[in-house]
Short mmCIF file of all heavy atoms in Angstrom, two decimals:
data_model
loop_
_atom_site.label_atom_id
_atom_site.label_comp_id
_atom_site.label_asym_id
_atom_site.label_seq_id
_atom_site.Cartn_x
_atom_site.Cartn_y
_atom_site.Cartn_z
N GLY A 133 94.06 161.21 131.94
CA GLY A 133 93.53 161.99 130.82
C GLY A 133 92.57 163.06 131.26
O GLY A 133 92.21 163.19 132.42
N SER A 134 92.14 163.84 130.31
CA SER A 134 91.21 164.93 130.52
C SER A 134 89.85 164.38 131.00
O SER A 134 89.37 163.38 130.49
CB SER A 134 91.04 165.70 129.21
OG SER A 134 90.08 166.69 129.36
N GLY A 135 89.25 165.05 131.96
CA GLY A 135 87.93 164.65 132.45
C GLY A 135 87.95 163.41 133.31
O GLY A 135 86.91 162.83 133.57
N ASP A 136 89.12 163.01 133.77
CA ASP A 136 89.24 161.77 134.53
C ASP A 136 89.12 162.05 136.03
O ASP A 136 90.10 162.00 136.77
CB ASP A 136 90.57 161.09 134.20
CG ASP A 136 90.49 159.59 134.39
OD1 ASP A 136 89.38 159.07 134.64
OD2 ASP A 136 91.54 158.96 134.31
N TYR A 137 87.91 162.41 136.45
CA TYR A 137 87.65 162.68 137.85
C TYR A 137 86.22 162.28 138.19
O TYR A 137 85.35 162.20 137.34
CB TYR A 137 87.90 164.15 138.19
CG TYR A 137 87.18 165.13 137.28
CD1 TYR A 137 85.88 165.52 137.55
CD2 TYR A 137 87.82 165.65 136.16
CE1 TYR A 137 85.22 166.42 136.72
CE2 TYR A 137 87.16 166.55 135.33
CZ TYR A 137 85.87 166.93 135.62
OH TYR A 137 85.22 167.81 134.80
N GLU A 138 86.02 162.04 139.45
CA GLU A 138 84.70 161.67 139.96
C GLU A 138 84.00 162.94 140.43
O GLU A 138 84.62 163.82 141.02
CB GLU A 138 84.87 160.70 141.13
CG GLU A 138 83.56 160.20 141.69
CD GLU A 138 83.77 159.16 142.79
OE1 GLU A 138 84.89 159.01 143.27
OE2 GLU A 138 82.76 158.52 143.13
N GLN A 139 82.71 163.03 140.15
CA GLN A 139 81.89 164.15 140.62
C GLN A 139 81.03 163.68 141.77
O GLN A 139 80.34 162.67 141.67
CB GLN A 139 80.97 164.66 139.51
CG GLN A 139 81.65 165.32 138.37
CD GLN A 139 80.64 165.85 137.36
OE1 GLN A 139 79.49 166.15 137.70
NE2 GLN A 139 81.07 165.96 136.12
N ILE A 140 81.06 164.41 142.86
CA ILE A 140 80.22 164.12 144.02
C ILE A 140 79.40 165.38 144.28
O ILE A 140 79.96 166.44 144.57
CB ILE A 140 81.06 163.73 145.24
CG1 ILE A 140 81.97 162.56 144.89
CG2 ILE A 140 80.15 163.38 146.41
CD1 ILE A 140 83.08 162.32 145.87
N ARG A 141 78.09 165.27 144.15
CA ARG A 141 77.21 166.43 144.21
C ARG A 141 76.51 166.57 145.56
O ARG A 141 76.12 165.58 146.16
CB ARG A 141 76.15 166.33 143.12
CG ARG A 141 76.71 166.30 141.72
CD ARG A 141 75.64 165.96 140.70
NE ARG A 141 74.69 167.03 140.52
CZ ARG A 141 74.70 167.88 139.49
NH1 ARG A 141 75.62 167.77 138.55
NH2 ARG A 141 73.80 168.82 139.39
N LEU A 142 76.31 167.80 145.95
CA LEU A 142 75.47 168.14 147.09
C LEU A 142 74.48 169.16 146.58
O LEU A 142 74.85 170.27 146.18
CB LEU A 142 76.30 168.73 148.24
CG LEU A 142 75.51 169.15 149.48
CD1 LEU A 142 74.83 167.93 150.12
CD2 LEU A 142 76.40 169.86 150.47
N GLU A 143 73.22 168.76 146.52
CA GLU A 143 72.21 169.60 145.89
C GLU A 143 71.32 170.34 146.88
O GLU A 143 70.65 171.28 146.50
CB GLU A 143 71.38 168.76 144.92
CG GLU A 143 72.26 168.25 143.79
CD GLU A 143 71.54 167.44 142.75
OE1 GLU A 143 70.46 166.89 143.07
OE2 GLU A 143 72.05 167.35 141.62
N ASP A 144 71.30 169.94 148.13
CA ASP A 144 70.48 170.62 149.12
C ASP A 144 71.41 171.25 150.16
O ASP A 144 71.64 170.68 151.22
CB ASP A 144 69.51 169.64 149.78
CG ASP A 144 68.61 170.30 150.81
OD1 ASP A 144 68.54 171.54 150.84
OD2 ASP A 144 67.98 169.57 151.60
N LEU A 145 71.95 172.43 149.84
CA LEU A 145 72.93 173.06 150.70
C LEU A 145 72.32 173.68 151.95
O LEU A 145 72.99 173.79 152.97
CB LEU A 145 73.68 174.16 149.94
CG LEU A 145 74.85 173.72 149.10
CD1 LEU A 145 74.48 172.76 148.00
CD2 LEU A 145 75.58 174.91 148.55
N LYS A 146 71.07 174.07 151.89
CA LYS A 146 70.45 174.79 153.00
C LYS A 146 70.38 173.96 154.28
O LYS A 146 70.51 174.50 155.36
CB LYS A 146 69.06 175.26 152.61
CG LYS A 146 69.06 176.33 151.54
CD LYS A 146 67.69 176.91 151.35
CE LYS A 146 67.53 177.82 150.19
NZ LYS A 146 68.63 178.64 149.81
N ASN A 147 70.17 172.69 154.16
CA ASN A 147 70.00 171.84 155.34
C ASN A 147 71.24 171.01 155.65
O ASN A 147 71.13 170.00 156.32
CB ASN A 147 68.79 170.92 155.14
CG ASN A 147 67.52 171.72 154.97
OD1 ASN A 147 67.32 172.72 155.65
ND2 ASN A 147 66.67 171.30 154.05
N GLN A 148 72.39 171.42 155.18
CA GLN A 148 73.59 170.61 155.35
C GLN A 148 74.65 171.34 156.17
O GLN A 148 74.78 172.55 156.09
CB GLN A 148 74.19 170.25 153.99
CG GLN A 148 73.34 169.35 153.16
CD GLN A 148 73.17 167.98 153.77
OE1 GLN A 148 74.11 167.43 154.31
NE2 GLN A 148 71.97 167.45 153.70
N ASP A 149 75.42 170.55 156.89
CA ASP A 149 76.63 171.02 157.53
C ASP A 149 77.72 170.89 156.47
O ASP A 149 78.18 169.79 156.18
CB ASP A 149 76.93 170.16 158.76
CG ASP A 149 78.20 170.57 159.47
OD1 ASP A 149 79.05 171.27 158.87
OD2 ASP A 149 78.36 170.18 160.64
N LEU A 150 78.10 172.00 155.85
CA LEU A 150 79.03 171.96 154.72
C LEU A 150 80.42 171.47 155.14
O LEU A 150 81.07 170.76 154.38
CB LEU A 150 79.11 173.32 154.05
CG LEU A 150 77.80 173.83 153.44
CD1 LEU A 150 78.01 175.19 152.79
CD2 LEU A 150 77.22 172.83 152.46
N VAL A 151 80.87 171.83 156.33
CA VAL A 151 82.17 171.36 156.80
C VAL A 151 82.15 169.83 156.92
O VAL A 151 83.09 169.16 156.49
CB VAL A 151 82.56 172.02 158.14
CG1 VAL A 151 83.80 171.37 158.74
CG2 VAL A 151 82.79 173.51 157.96
N LYS A 152 81.07 169.30 157.44
CA LYS A 152 80.96 167.85 157.58
C LYS A 152 80.94 167.18 156.20
O LYS A 152 81.56 166.14 156.00
CB LYS A 152 79.68 167.51 158.36
CG LYS A 152 79.49 166.05 158.66
CD LYS A 152 78.23 165.84 159.49
CE LYS A 152 77.98 164.39 159.73
NZ LYS A 152 76.73 164.16 160.48
N TRP A 153 80.22 167.78 155.25
CA TRP A 153 80.16 167.20 153.90
C TRP A 153 81.54 167.18 153.25
O TRP A 153 81.95 166.17 152.68
CB TRP A 153 79.17 167.98 153.03
CG TRP A 153 79.00 167.39 151.66
CD1 TRP A 153 78.28 166.28 151.33
CD2 TRP A 153 79.59 167.85 150.44
NE1 TRP A 153 78.38 166.03 149.98
CE2 TRP A 153 79.18 166.98 149.41
CE3 TRP A 153 80.42 168.92 150.11
CZ2 TRP A 153 79.57 167.15 148.08
CZ3 TRP A 153 80.80 169.09 148.79
CH2 TRP A 153 80.37 168.20 147.79
N VAL A 154 82.27 168.30 153.32
CA VAL A 154 83.60 168.35 152.72
C VAL A 154 84.55 167.40 153.47
O VAL A 154 85.34 166.70 152.86
CB VAL A 154 84.16 169.79 152.71
CG1 VAL A 154 85.60 169.80 152.21
CG2 VAL A 154 83.29 170.68 151.84
N ASP A 155 84.43 167.37 154.77
CA ASP A 155 85.29 166.50 155.58
C ASP A 155 85.15 165.03 155.18
O ASP A 155 86.14 164.29 155.13
CB ASP A 155 84.96 166.68 157.06
CG ASP A 155 86.06 166.20 157.97
OD1 ASP A 155 87.24 166.49 157.67
OD2 ASP A 155 85.75 165.54 158.96
N GLN A 156 83.94 164.59 154.84
CA GLN A 156 83.74 163.19 154.44
C GLN A 156 84.32 162.89 153.06
O GLN A 156 84.44 161.75 152.68
CB GLN A 156 82.26 162.78 154.54
CG GLN A 156 81.32 163.54 153.64
CD GLN A 156 81.06 162.87 152.30
OE1 GLN A 156 81.22 161.67 152.15
NE2 GLN A 156 80.67 163.66 151.33
N LEU A 157 84.72 163.92 152.32
CA LEU A 157 85.36 163.72 151.02
C LEU A 157 86.85 163.41 151.14
O LEU A 157 87.46 162.90 150.22
CB LEU A 157 85.20 164.98 150.15
CG LEU A 157 83.79 165.39 149.79
CD1 LEU A 157 83.79 166.78 149.15
CD2 LEU A 157 83.14 164.38 148.87
N LEU A 158 87.41 163.73 152.29
CA LEU A 158 88.84 163.50 152.51
C LEU A 158 89.12 162.00 152.56
O LEU A 158 88.27 161.22 153.00
CB LEU A 158 89.29 164.17 153.81
CG LEU A 158 89.26 165.69 153.79
CD1 LEU A 158 89.49 166.25 155.18
CD2 LEU A 158 90.28 166.25 152.81
N PRO A 159 90.31 161.59 152.14
CA PRO A 159 90.66 160.16 152.21
C PRO A 159 90.52 159.66 153.64
O PRO A 159 90.91 160.36 154.59
CB PRO A 159 92.11 160.12 151.75
CG PRO A 159 92.34 161.39 151.02
CD PRO A 159 91.40 162.40 151.60
N LYS A 160 89.94 158.49 153.76
CA LYS A 160 89.71 157.92 155.08
C LYS A 160 91.01 157.38 155.65
O LYS A 160 91.84 156.84 154.94
CB LYS A 160 88.68 156.78 155.01
CG LYS A 160 87.35 157.20 154.44
CD LYS A 160 86.64 158.15 155.36
CE LYS A 160 85.30 158.54 154.80
NZ LYS A 160 84.99 159.93 154.94
N LYS A 161 91.13 157.51 156.95
CA LYS A 161 92.25 156.89 157.65
C LYS A 161 92.02 155.39 157.61
O LYS A 161 90.90 154.92 157.47
CB LYS A 161 92.30 157.39 159.09
CG LYS A 161 92.37 158.90 159.22
CD LYS A 161 93.75 159.32 159.57
CE LYS A 161 93.87 160.74 159.98
NZ LYS A 161 93.71 161.75 159.01
N LYS A 162 93.05 154.62 157.75
CA LYS A 162 92.93 153.16 157.65
C LYS A 162 91.93 152.59 158.64
O LYS A 162 91.27 151.62 158.37
CB LYS A 162 94.30 152.51 157.83
CG LYS A 162 95.23 152.87 156.71
CD LYS A 162 96.36 151.91 156.61
CE LYS A 162 97.35 152.42 155.62
NZ LYS A 162 97.52 151.71 154.44
N SER A 163 91.79 153.20 159.80
CA SER A 163 90.86 152.68 160.80
C SER A 163 89.44 153.19 160.59
O SER A 163 88.51 152.68 161.18
CB SER A 163 91.32 153.07 162.20
OG SER A 163 91.32 154.48 162.33
N GLY A 164 89.25 154.20 159.73
CA GLY A 164 87.93 154.78 159.49
C GLY A 164 87.12 153.98 158.51
O GLY A 164 87.62 153.19 157.73
N SER A 165 85.81 154.18 158.58
CA SER A 165 84.93 153.54 157.61
C SER A 165 84.26 154.62 156.79
O SER A 165 84.06 155.72 157.26
CB SER A 165 83.88 152.68 158.31
OG SER A 165 83.06 153.50 159.10
N SER A 166 83.90 154.29 155.58
CA SER A 166 83.31 155.31 154.71
C SER A 166 81.80 155.32 154.89
O SER A 166 81.16 154.29 155.00
CB SER A 166 83.70 155.06 153.26
OG SER A 166 82.74 154.37 152.58
N SER A 167 81.27 156.54 154.95
CA SER A 167 79.82 156.70 155.02
C SER A 167 79.42 157.78 154.05
O SER A 167 80.17 158.69 153.78
CB SER A 167 79.39 157.06 156.44
OG SER A 167 79.89 158.32 156.78
N SER A 168 78.23 157.70 153.55
CA SER A 168 77.78 158.63 152.53
C SER A 168 76.52 159.33 152.99
O SER A 168 75.63 158.71 153.56
CB SER A 168 77.54 157.85 151.25
OG SER A 168 76.74 158.54 150.38
N SER A 169 76.44 160.62 152.75
CA SER A 169 75.26 161.40 153.09
C SER A 169 74.12 161.06 152.14
O SER A 169 74.32 160.86 150.96
CB SER A 169 75.60 162.88 153.00
OG SER A 169 74.45 163.65 153.12
N SER A 170 72.91 161.03 152.68
CA SER A 170 71.76 160.69 151.84
C SER A 170 71.46 161.77 150.82
O SER A 170 70.79 161.53 149.84
CB SER A 170 70.54 160.44 152.72
OG SER A 170 70.22 161.62 153.42
N SER A 171 71.94 162.99 151.05
CA SER A 171 71.62 164.05 150.11
C SER A 171 72.74 164.31 149.11
O SER A 171 72.67 165.23 148.34
CB SER A 171 71.30 165.34 150.87
OG SER A 171 72.45 165.73 151.58
N SER A 172 73.78 163.50 149.16
CA SER A 172 74.82 163.66 148.14
C SER A 172 74.75 162.48 147.18
O SER A 172 74.28 161.41 147.52
CB SER A 172 76.21 163.77 148.78
OG SER A 172 76.55 162.59 149.44
N ARG A 173 75.19 162.72 145.96
CA ARG A 173 75.10 161.70 144.93
C ARG A 173 76.43 161.61 144.22
O ARG A 173 76.99 162.60 143.81
CB ARG A 173 73.98 162.09 143.98
CG ARG A 173 73.74 161.07 142.89
CD ARG A 173 72.57 161.49 142.04
NE ARG A 173 73.03 162.45 141.06
CZ ARG A 173 72.39 163.55 140.73
NH1 ARG A 173 71.28 163.86 141.32
NH2 ARG A 173 72.87 164.37 139.83
N ARG A 174 76.93 160.39 144.03
CA ARG A 174 78.17 160.19 143.30
C ARG A 174 77.83 159.85 141.86
O ARG A 174 76.95 159.06 141.59
CB ARG A 174 78.99 159.06 143.90
CG ARG A 174 79.53 159.39 145.27
CD ARG A 174 80.39 158.26 145.78
NE ARG A 174 80.88 158.61 147.08
CZ ARG A 174 82.16 158.90 147.34
NH1 ARG A 174 83.05 158.85 146.41
NH2 ARG A 174 82.52 159.21 148.55
N SER A 175 78.58 160.45 140.95
CA SER A 175 78.39 160.11 139.54
C SER A 175 79.73 160.14 138.85
O SER A 175 80.63 160.85 139.25
CB SER A 175 77.44 161.12 138.87
OG SER A 175 78.00 162.40 138.85
N ARG A 176 79.86 159.35 137.85
CA ARG A 176 81.11 159.28 137.08
C ARG A 176 80.97 160.14 135.85
O ARG A 176 79.93 160.22 135.25
CB ARG A 176 81.40 157.84 136.67
CG ARG A 176 81.47 156.93 137.88
CD ARG A 176 82.77 156.21 137.89
NE ARG A 176 82.83 155.32 139.00
CZ ARG A 176 83.68 155.51 140.00
NH1 ARG A 176 84.50 156.50 140.00
NH2 ARG A 176 83.71 154.66 141.00
N ARG A 177 82.07 160.76 135.47
CA ARG A 177 82.08 161.60 134.27
C ARG A 177 82.88 160.91 133.21
O ARG A 177 83.88 160.33 133.41
CB ARG A 177 82.67 162.96 134.59
CG ARG A 177 82.73 163.82 133.37
CD ARG A 177 83.04 165.22 133.75
NE ARG A 177 83.13 165.92 132.47
CZ ARG A 177 84.20 166.54 132.05
NH1 ARG A 177 85.24 166.61 132.78
NH2 ARG A 177 84.20 167.13 130.89
#
Side-chain angles (χ1 to χ4, degrees):
S134 176
D136 207 8
Y137 52 87
E138 183 176 13
Q139 292 183 26
I140 304 165
R141 299 171 70 101
L142 178 63
E143 296 182 337
D144 181 14
L145 276 61
K146 293 189 189 326
N147 299 320
Q148 294 295 320
D149 178 342
L150 298 180
V151 171
K152 184 177 176 183
W153 183 77
V154 175
D155 199 44
Q156 62 93 23
L157 298 170
L158 292 170
K160 303 292 181 222
K161 304 256 191 289
K162 294 200 188 247
S163 63
S165 63
S166 97
S167 65
S168 161
S169 171
S170 62
S171 62
S172 64
R173 182 176 82 224
R174 292 183 180 250
S175 64
R176 303 235 182 247
R177 178 168 177 240

